[in-house]
Amino acid sequence: MSKPHPHELRVELELNASVEQIWRCWVEPELLKQWFCPKPWQVVDVRMDMRPGGEFYTLMQGPNGEQFGEPGVFLAVEPKRRIMFTDAFQPGWLPSARAFIVGDFMYVDLGNGRTKFVGRAYHWNAEAQAEHAAMGFEPGWTAAARQLEALAAGLTA
């Protein structure tokens, strides 16, 4: 791995599911809805155009009806290896009102149906990094990754 970004948050786990199963859960919207945010929150809408510059949008809803969603774009899509997106741009490479994050998610096939998951969030400054940490980045993404693992493990590749 490269040197950490100065405003990076990271979660690194080994998952008991194959890269193929994990990938399906990322690229199939109905599967992504089932794991992408920690329960009791849920994803109620997904739009994905899986190519650099293509739209990536999730609308998350909390247990009390609160909602959070913001459009973004994919920066990199490397099948079964990496997904990178940002909210700094909207579809069509239009600047967003507030650039908050670049999400970089990598998957390494460990063999025997296991996958190394590395989730990184890069921020433009220390304030945004601290805000994201206070929102629960590490426990939230750990919970979401474990939900991903459970869902993926039950799929055929």
Coordinates of all heavy atoms in Angstrom, one line a residue, residues 76-157:
A76 N -12.7 5.6 -10.5 CA -12.1 4.3 -11.1 C -13.0 3.1 -10.8 O -13.6 3.1 -9.7 CB -10.7 4.1 -10.4
V77 N -13.1 2.3 -11.7 CA -13.8 1.0 -11.6 C -12.9 -0.1 -12.2 O -12.7 -0.1 -13.4 CB -15.2 1.0 -12.3 CG1 -15.9 -0.3 -12.1 CG2 -16.0 2.2 -11.7
E78 N -12.3 -0.9 -11.4 CA -11.4 -2.0 -11.8 C -12.1 -3.3 -11.3 O -12.0 -3.6 -10.1 CB -10.0 -1.8 -11.2 CG -9.3 -0.5 -11.6 CD -8.0 -0.3 -10.9 OE1 -7.4 -1.3 -10.5 OE2 -7.7 0.9 -10.7
P79 N -12.8 -4.0 -12.2 CA -13.6 -5.1 -11.8 C -12.8 -6.1 -10.9 O -11.7 -6.4 -11.1 CB -13.9 -5.8 -13.1 CG -14.0 -4.6 -14.1 CD -12.8 -3.7 -13.7
K80 N -13.5 -6.4 -9.8 CA -13.0 -7.3 -8.8 C -11.8 -6.9 -8.1 O -11.1 -7.7 -7.4 CB -12.9 -8.7 -9.4 CG -14.2 -9.3 -9.9 CD -13.9 -10.6 -10.6 CE -15.2 -11.0 -11.3 NZ -15.0 -12.2 -12.1
R81 N -11.4 -5.6 -8.2 CA -10.2 -5.1 -7.6 C -10.4 -3.8 -6.8 O -10.0 -3.6 -5.7 CB -9.1 -4.9 -8.6 CG -7.8 -4.6 -8.1 CD -6.7 -4.6 -9.1 NE -5.5 -4.1 -8.5 CZ -5.2 -2.8 -8.3 NH1 -6.0 -1.9 -8.7 NH2 -4.1 -2.4 -7.7
R82 N -11.1 -2.8 -7.5 CA -11.1 -1.5 -6.9 C -12.3 -0.7 -7.4 O -12.7 -0.7 -8.6 CB -9.9 -0.7 -7.3 CG -9.7 0.6 -6.7 CD -8.5 1.3 -7.2 NE -8.1 2.4 -6.4 CZ -7.1 3.3 -6.7 NH1 -6.5 3.1 -7.9 NH2 -6.8 4.3 -6.0
I83 N -12.9 0.1 -6.5 CA -13.9 1.1 -6.8 C -13.5 2.4 -6.1 O -13.2 2.4 -4.9 CB -15.3 0.6 -6.3 CG1 -15.8 -0.6 -7.1 CG2 -16.3 1.8 -6.4 CD1 -17.1 -1.1 -6.7
M84 N -13.5 3.5 -6.8 CA -13.1 4.8 -6.3 C -14.2 5.8 -6.7 O -14.5 5.8 -7.9 CB -11.7 5.2 -6.7 CG -11.2 6.4 -6.1 SD -9.5 6.8 -6.8 CE -8.7 7.0 -5.3
F85 N -14.7 6.6 -5.8 CA -15.7 7.6 -6.1 C -15.5 8.8 -5.3 O -14.7 8.8 -4.3 CB -17.1 7.0 -5.9 CG -17.4 6.5 -4.5 CD1 -17.8 7.4 -3.5 CD2 -17.2 5.2 -4.2 CE1 -18.0 7.0 -2.2 CE2 -17.5 4.8 -2.9 CZ -17.9 5.6 -1.9
T86 N -16.2 9.9 -5.7 CA -16.1 11.2 -5.0 C -17.4 11.9 -5.1 O -18.2 11.7 -6.0 CB -15.0 12.1 -5.6 OG1 -14.8 13.2 -4.7 CG2 -15.2 12.5 -7.0
D87 N -17.6 12.7 -4.1 CA -18.8 13.6 -4.1 C -18.3 15.0 -4.5 O -19.1 16.0 -4.5 CB -19.5 13.7 -2.8 CG -18.7 14.2 -1.6 OD1 -17.5 14.6 -1.9 OD2 -19.1 14.2 -0.5
A88 N -17.1 15.2 -4.9 CA -16.6 16.5 -5.4 C -17.2 16.9 -6.7 O -17.2 18.1 -7.0 CB -15.1 16.5 -5.5
F89 N -17.7 15.9 -7.4 CA -18.3 16.2 -8.7 C -19.7 15.5 -8.8 O -19.9 14.4 -8.2 CB -17.4 15.6 -9.9 CG -16.1 16.3 -10.0 CD1 -15.0 15.7 -9.5 CD2 -16.0 17.5 -10.7 CE1 -13.8 16.3 -9.6 CE2 -14.8 18.1 -10.8 CZ -13.7 17.6 -10.3
Q90 N -20.5 16.1 -9.6 CA -21.8 15.5 -9.9 C -21.7 14.9 -11.3 O -20.7 15.2 -12.0 CB -22.9 16.5 -9.9 CG -23.1 17.1 -8.5 CD -24.2 18.2 -8.5 OE1 -25.1 18.2 -9.3 NE2 -24.1 19.1 -7.5
P91 N -22.6 14.0 -11.7 CA -22.5 13.5 -13.1 C -22.3 14.6 -14.1 O -22.8 15.7 -14.0 CB -23.9 12.8 -13.3 CG -24.3 12.4 -11.9 CD -23.8 13.5 -11.0
G92 N -21.5 14.3 -15.2 CA -21.2 15.3 -16.2 C -20.0 16.1 -15.7 O -19.6 17.1 -16.3
W93 N -19.3 15.7 -14.7 CA -18.1 16.4 -14.1 C -18.4 17.8 -13.6 O -17.5 18.6 -13.6 CB -16.9 16.4 -15.1 CG -16.4 15.0 -15.4 CD1 -16.6 14.3 -16.6 CD2 -15.8 14.1 -14.5 NE1 -16.0 13.1 -16.5 CE2 -15.5 12.9 -15.2 CE3 -15.3 14.2 -13.2 CZ2 -14.8 11.8 -14.7 CZ3 -14.7 13.1 -12.7 CH2 -14.5 11.9 -13.4
L94 N -19.6 18.0 -13.2 CA -20.0 19.3 -12.7 C -19.6 19.4 -11.2 O -19.8 18.4 -10.4 CB -21.5 19.5 -12.8 CG -22.1 19.5 -14.2 CD1 -23.6 19.5 -14.2 CD2 -21.5 20.7 -15.0
P95 N -18.9 20.5 -10.8 CA -18.5 20.6 -9.4 C -19.7 20.5 -8.4 O -20.8 21.1 -8.8 CB -17.8 21.9 -9.3 CG -17.4 22.2 -10.7 CD -18.5 21.6 -11.6
S96 N -19.5 19.9 -7.3 CA -20.6 19.8 -6.3 C -20.5 21.1 -5.4 O -19.5 21.8 -5.5 CB -20.5 18.6 -5.5 OG -19.4 18.6 -4.7
A97 N -21.5 21.3 -4.6 CA -21.5 22.4 -3.7 C -20.5 22.3 -2.6 O -19.9 23.3 -2.2 CB -22.9 22.5 -3.1
R98 N -20.2 21.0 -2.2 CA -19.2 20.8 -1.2 C -18.4 19.5 -1.5 O -19.0 18.4 -1.4 CB -19.8 20.7 0.2 CG -18.9 20.4 1.3 CD -19.6 20.4 2.6 NE -18.6 20.2 3.7 CZ -18.7 19.3 4.7 NH1 -19.8 18.5 4.7 NH2 -17.8 19.1 5.6
A99 N -17.1 19.6 -1.7 CA -16.3 18.4 -1.8 C -16.0 17.9 -0.4 O -15.3 18.6 0.3 CB -15.1 18.7 -2.6
F100 N -16.4 16.7 -0.1 CA -16.1 16.1 1.2 C -15.2 14.9 1.2 O -14.4 14.8 2.1 CB -17.5 15.8 1.9 CG -17.4 15.2 3.3 CD1 -17.0 16.1 4.3 CD2 -17.7 13.9 3.6 CE1 -16.9 15.6 5.6 CE2 -17.7 13.4 4.9 CZ -17.3 14.3 5.9
I101 N -15.4 14.0 0.2 CA -14.7 12.7 0.3 C -14.3 12.2 -1.0 O -15.0 12.5 -2.0 CB -15.6 11.7 1.0 CG1 -14.9 10.4 1.3 CG2 -16.9 11.5 0.3 CD1 -15.8 9.4 2.0
V102 N -13.2 11.4 -1.0 CA -12.9 10.5 -2.1 C -12.9 9.1 -1.4 O -12.1 8.9 -0.5 CB -11.6 10.8 -2.8 CG1 -11.2 9.7 -3.7 CG2 -11.6 12.1 -3.5
G103 N -13.8 8.2 -1.8 CA -13.8 6.9 -1.3 C -13.0 6.0 -2.2 O -13.2 6.0 -3.4
D104 N -12.2 5.2 -1.6 CA -11.3 4.2 -2.3 C -11.4 2.9 -1.7 O -11.0 2.7 -0.6 CB -9.9 4.8 -2.3 CG -8.9 4.0 -3.2 OD1 -9.4 3.1 -4.0 OD2 -7.7 4.3 -3.2
F105 N -12.0 1.9 -2.4 CA -12.2 0.6 -1.8 C -11.5 -0.4 -2.7 O -11.8 -0.5 -3.9 CB -13.8 0.3 -1.8 CG -14.4 1.3 -0.8 CD1 -14.9 2.5 -1.3 CD2 -14.5 1.0 0.5 CE1 -15.4 3.4 -0.4 CE2 -15.1 1.9 1.4 CZ -15.5 3.1 1.0
M106 N -10.7 -1.2 -2.1 CA -9.9 -2.2 -2.8 C -10.1 -3.6 -2.2 O -10.4 -3.7 -1.0 CB -8.4 -1.9 -2.7 CG -8.1 -0.5 -3.3 SD -6.3 -0.1 -3.2 CE -5.7 -1.2 -4.5
Y107 N -10.0 -4.6 -3.1 CA -10.3 -6.0 -2.7 C -9.1 -6.8 -3.2 O -8.7 -6.7 -4.4 CB -11.6 -6.5 -3.4 CG -12.7 -5.4 -3.2 CD1 -12.9 -4.5 -4.1 CD2 -13.3 -5.4 -2.0 CE1 -13.9 -3.5 -3.9 CE2 -14.3 -4.4 -1.7 CZ -14.5 -3.5 -2.7 OH -15.5 -2.5 -2.4
V108 N -8.6 -7.6 -2.3 CA -7.4 -8.5 -2.7 C -7.9 -9.9 -2.4 O -8.3 -10.3 -1.3 CB -6.2 -8.2 -1.8 CG1 -5.0 -9.1 -2.2 CG2 -5.8 -6.7 -2.0
D109 N -7.8 -10.8 -3.5 CA -8.2 -12.2 -3.4 C -7.1 -12.9 -2.5 O -5.9 -13.0 -2.9 CB -8.2 -12.8 -4.7 CG -8.8 -14.2 -4.7 OD1 -8.8 -14.8 -3.7 OD2 -9.1 -14.7 -5.8
L110 N -7.5 -13.4 -1.4 CA -6.6 -14.1 -0.5 C -6.6 -15.6 -0.7 O -5.9 -16.4 -0.1 CB -6.9 -13.8 1.0 CG -6.8 -12.4 1.4 CD1 -7.3 -12.2 2.8 CD2 -5.4 -11.9 1.3
G111 N -7.5 -16.1 -1.6 CA -7.6 -17.5 -1.9 C -8.6 -18.1 -0.9 O -9.0 -17.5 0.1
N112 N -9.0 -19.3 -1.2 CA -9.9 -20.1 -0.3 C -11.2 -19.3 0.1 O -11.6 -19.4 1.2 CB -9.2 -20.6 0.9 CG -8.0 -21.5 0.6 OD1 -8.1 -22.4 -0.2 ND2 -6.9 -21.3 1.3
G113 N -11.7 -18.5 -0.9 CA -12.9 -17.8 -0.6 C -12.8 -16.7 0.4 O -13.8 -16.3 1.0
R114 N -11.6 -16.1 0.5 CA -11.4 -15.0 1.4 C -10.9 -13.8 0.7 O -10.2 -13.9 -0.3 CB -10.4 -15.4 2.5 CG -11.0 -16.5 3.5 CD -10.0 -16.8 4.6 NE -9.5 -15.7 5.4 CZ -10.2 -15.1 6.3 NH1 -11.5 -15.4 6.6 NH2 -9.7 -14.1 7.0
T115 N -11.3 -12.6 1.2 CA -10.9 -11.4 0.5 C -10.5 -10.3 1.5 O -11.1 -10.2 2.6 CB -12.2 -10.8 -0.3 OG1 -12.6 -11.8 -1.2 CG2 -11.8 -9.5 -1.0
K116 N -9.4 -9.7 1.2 CA -8.9 -8.5 2.0 C -9.7 -7.3 1.5 O -9.6 -7.0 0.3 CB -7.4 -8.3 1.9 CG -6.9 -7.2 2.7 CD -5.4 -7.1 2.6 CE -4.9 -6.0 3.5 NZ -3.4 -5.9 3.4
F117 N -10.3 -6.6 2.4 CA -11.1 -5.4 2.1 C -10.4 -4.2 2.7 O -10.0 -4.2 3.9 CB -12.5 -5.5 2.8 CG -13.3 -4.3 2.8 CD1 -14.1 -3.9 1.7 CD2 -13.3 -3.5 3.9 CE1 -14.8 -2.7 1.8 CE2 -14.0 -2.3 4.0 CZ -14.8 -1.9 2.9
V118 N -10.1 -3.2 1.9 CA -9.4 -2.0 2.4 C -10.3 -0.8 1.9 O -10.5 -0.6 0.7 CB -8.0 -1.8 1.8 CG1 -7.4 -0.5 2.3 CG2 -7.1 -3.0 2.1
G119 N -10.9 -0.2 2.9 CA -11.7 1.0 2.6 C -11.0 2.3 3.1 O -10.7 2.3 4.3
R120 N -10.8 3.2 2.2 CA -10.2 4.5 2.6 C -11.0 5.6 2.2 O -11.7 5.6 1.1 CB -8.8 4.6 1.9 CG -7.8 3.5 2.4 CD -6.5 3.6 1.8 NE -6.6 3.4 0.3 CZ -5.6 3.0 -0.4 NH1 -4.4 2.8 0.1 NH2 -5.8 2.7 -1.7
A121 N -11.0 6.6 3.0 CA -11.7 7.9 2.8 C -10.7 9.0 2.8 O -10.0 9.2 3.9 CB -12.9 8.1 3.7
Y122 N -10.5 9.7 1.7 CA -9.6 10.8 1.7 C -10.4 12.1 1.8 O -11.5 12.2 1.2 CB -8.8 10.8 0.4 CG -8.1 9.6 0.0 CD1 -8.4 8.9 -1.1 CD2 -7.2 9.0 0.9 CE1 -7.8 7.7 -1.5 CE2 -6.5 7.9 0.6 CZ -6.8 7.2 -0.6 OH -6.2 6.0 -0.9
H123 N -9.9 13.1 2.6 CA -10.6 14.3 2.8 C -9.7 15.5 2.4 O -8.5 15.4 2.4 CB -11.0 14.5 4.2 CG -11.8 13.3 4.7 ND1 -11.3 12.1 5.1 CD2 -13.1 13.1 4.8 CE1 -12.2 11.3 5.4 NE2 -13.4 11.9 5.2
W124 N -10.3 16.6 2.1 CA -9.5 17.8 1.6 C -8.8 18.5 2.8 O -7.8 19.1 2.5 CB -10.4 18.8 0.9 CG -10.5 18.5 -0.6 CD1 -9.9 19.1 -1.6 CD2 -11.3 17.4 -1.2 NE1 -10.3 18.6 -2.8 CE2 -11.1 17.5 -2.6 CE3 -12.1 16.4 -0.7 CZ2 -11.7 16.7 -3.5 CZ3 -12.7 15.6 -1.6 CH2 -12.5 15.7 -3.0
N125 N -9.3 18.3 4.0 CA -8.6 19.0 5.1 C -8.9 18.2 6.4 O -9.7 17.3 6.4 CB -9.1 20.4 5.2 CG -10.6 20.5 5.3 OD1 -11.2 19.9 6.1 ND2 -11.2 21.4 4.4
A126 N -8.2 18.6 7.4 CA -8.3 18.0 8.7 C -9.7 18.1 9.3 O -10.2 17.2 10.0 CB -7.3 18.5 9.7
E127 N -10.4 19.2 9.1 CA -11.7 19.4 9.6 C -12.7 18.4 9.0 O -13.5 17.9 9.8 CB -12.2 20.9 9.3 CG -11.4 22.0 10.1 CD -10.1 22.3 9.4 OE1 -9.8 22.0 8.2 OE2 -9.2 22.8 10.2
A128 N -12.7 18.2 7.7 CA -13.5 17.2 7.1 C -13.2 15.8 7.6 O -14.1 15.0 7.8 CB -13.4 17.3 5.6
Q129 N -12.0 15.5 7.7 CA -11.6 14.2 8.3 C -12.1 14.0 9.7 O -12.7 13.0 10.0 CB -10.0 14.1 8.3 CG -9.6 12.8 8.8 CD -8.0 12.8 9.0 OE1 -7.4 13.8 9.0 NE2 -7.5 11.6 9.1
A130 N -12.0 15.0 10.5 CA -12.5 14.9 11.9 C -14.0 14.8 11.9 O -14.6 14.0 12.7 CB -12.1 16.2 12.7
E131 N -14.7 15.5 11.0 CA -16.1 15.5 10.9 C -16.6 14.0 10.5 O -17.5 13.5 11.1 CB -16.7 16.5 9.9 CG -18.2 16.4 9.7 CD -18.6 17.4 8.6 OE1 -17.9 18.3 8.2 OE2 -19.8 17.2 8.1
H132 N -15.9 13.5 9.6 CA -16.2 12.1 9.1 C -15.9 11.1 10.2 O -16.7 10.1 10.4 CB -15.5 11.8 7.8 CG -16.1 10.7 7.0 ND1 -15.5 10.2 5.9 CD2 -17.2 10.0 7.2 CE1 -16.3 9.3 5.4 NE2 -17.3 9.1 6.1
A133 N -14.8 11.2 10.9 CA -14.5 10.3 12.0 C -15.6 10.4 13.1 O -16.0 9.4 13.6 CB -13.1 10.7 12.6
A134 N -16.0 11.6 13.4 CA -17.1 11.8 14.4 C -18.4 11.2 14.0 O -19.2 10.8 14.8 CB -17.2 13.3 14.8
M135 N -18.6 11.2 12.7 CA -19.8 10.6 12.1 C -19.8 9.0 12.3 O -20.8 8.4 12.1 CB -20.0 10.9 10.7 CG -20.4 12.3 10.4 SD -20.2 12.8 8.6 CE -21.3 11.6 7.8
G136 N -18.6 8.5 12.6 CA -18.5 7.1 12.9 C -18.0 6.3 11.7 O -18.3 5.2 11.5
F137 N -17.0 6.9 11.0 CA -16.5 6.2 9.8 C -16.0 4.8 10.1 O -16.4 3.8 9.5 CB -15.3 7.0 9.2 CG -14.6 6.2 8.1 CD1 -15.1 6.2 6.8 CD2 -13.5 5.5 8.4 CE1 -14.5 5.5 5.8 CE2 -12.8 4.7 7.4 CZ -13.3 4.8 6.1
E138 N -15.1 4.6 11.1 CA -14.5 3.3 11.4 C -15.6 2.3 11.9 O -15.7 1.2 11.3 CB -13.4 3.4 12.4 CG -12.7 2.1 12.5 CD -11.4 2.2 13.4 OE1 -10.9 3.3 13.6 OE2 -11.0 1.1 13.8
P139 N -16.3 2.6 12.9 CA -17.3 1.6 13.3 C -18.4 1.4 12.2 O -18.9 0.3 12.0 CB -17.9 2.1 14.6 CG -17.6 3.5 14.6 CD -16.3 3.7 13.8
G140 N -18.8 2.4 11.5 CA -19.8 2.3 10.5 C -19.3 1.5 9.3 O -20.1 0.6 8.8
W141 N -18.1 1.7 8.8 CA -17.6 0.9 7.7 C -17.3 -0.5 8.1 O -17.4 -1.4 7.3 CB -16.5 1.6 6.9 CG -17.1 2.4 5.8 CD1 -17.3 3.7 5.8 CD2 -17.6 1.9 4.6 NE1 -17.9 4.1 4.6 CE2 -18.1 2.9 3.8 CE3 -17.7 0.6 4.1 CZ2 -18.7 2.8 2.6 CZ3 -18.3 0.4 2.8 CH2 -18.8 1.5 2.1
T142 N -16.9 -0.7 9.4 CA -16.6 -2.0 9.8 C -18.0 -2.8 9.8 O -18.0 -4.0 9.4 CB -16.0 -2.0 11.2 OG1 -14.7 -1.4 11.1 CG2 -15.8 -3.4 11.8
A143 N -19.0 -2.2 10.4 CA -20.3 -2.8 10.4 C -20.8 -3.1 8.9 O -21.3 -4.2 8.7 CB -21.3 -2.0 11.1
A144 N -20.7 -2.1 8.1 CA -21.1 -2.3 6.7 C -20.3 -3.4 6.0 O -20.9 -4.3 5.3 CB -21.0 -1.0 5.9
A145 N -19.0 -3.5 6.2 CA -18.2 -4.5 5.6 C -18.6 -5.9 6.2 O -18.6 -6.9 5.4 CB -16.7 -4.3 5.9
R146 N -19.0 -6.0 7.4 CA -19.4 -7.3 8.0 C -20.8 -7.7 7.4 O -21.1 -8.8 7.1 CB -19.5 -7.3 9.5 CG -18.1 -7.2 10.1 CD -17.2 -8.4 9.7 NE -15.9 -8.3 10.3 CZ -14.8 -8.9 9.8 NH1 -14.9 -9.7 8.8 NH2 -13.6 -8.7 10.4
Q147 N -21.7 -6.7 7.1 CA -22.9 -6.9 6.4 C -22.7 -7.4 5.0 O -23.3 -8.3 4.5 CB -23.8 -5.7 6.4 CG -24.3 -5.3 7.8 CD -24.9 -3.9 7.9 OE1 -25.4 -3.5 8.9 NE2 -25.0 -3.1 6.8
L148 N -21.7 -6.8 4.3 CA -21.3 -7.2 3.0 C -20.8 -8.6 3.0 O -21.2 -9.4 2.2 CB -20.2 -6.2 2.5 CG -19.4 -6.6 1.3 CD1 -20.3 -6.8 0.1 CD2 -18.2 -5.6 1.0
E149 N -20.0 -8.9 4.0 CA -19.4 -10.3 4.1 C -20.5 -11.3 4.2 O -20.6 -12.3 3.6 CB -18.5 -10.4 5.3 CG -18.0 -11.7 5.7 CD -17.1 -11.7 6.9 OE1 -17.5 -11.1 7.9 OE2 -16.1 -12.3 6.9
A150 N -21.5 -11.1 5.1 CA -22.6 -12.0 5.4 C -23.5 -12.2 4.1 O -23.8 -13.3 3.7 CB -23.5 -11.5 6.5
L151 N -23.8 -11.1 3.4 CA -24.6 -11.2 2.2 C -23.8 -11.9 1.1 O -24.3 -12.8 0.5 CB -24.9 -9.7 1.8 CG -25.7 -9.6 0.5 CD1 -27.1 -10.3 0.6 CD2 -25.9 -8.2 0.1
A152 N -22.5 -11.5 0.9 CA -21.7 -12.1 -0.2 C -21.5 -13.6 0.0 O -21.6 -14.3 -0.9 CB -20.4 -11.3 -0.3
A153 N -21.3 -14.0 1.3 CA -21.0 -15.4 1.5 C -22.2 -16.3 1.1 O -21.9 -17.5 0.8 CB -20.7 -15.6 3.0
G154 N -23.4 -15.8 1.1 CA -24.5 -16.5 0.7 C -24.8 -16.6 -0.8 O -25.8 -17.2 -1.2
L155 N -24.0 -15.9 -1.6 CA -24.2 -15.8 -3.0 C -23.4 -16.8 -3.8 O -22.3 -17.2 -3.3 CB -23.9 -14.4 -3.5 CG -24.6 -13.2 -3.0 CD1 -24.0 -11.9 -3.5 CD2 -26.1 -13.3 -3.3
T156 N -23.8 -17.1 -5.0 CA -22.9 -17.8 -5.9 C -22.3 -16.8 -6.7 O -22.8 -15.7 -7.0 CB -23.7 -18.8 -6.8 OG1 -24.7 -18.0 -7.5 CG2 -24.4 -19.9 -6.0
A157 N -21.0 -17.0 -7.1 CA -20.2 -16.0 -7.7 C -20.7 -15.6 -9.1 O -21.5 -16.0 -9.8 CB -18.8 -16.4 -7.9

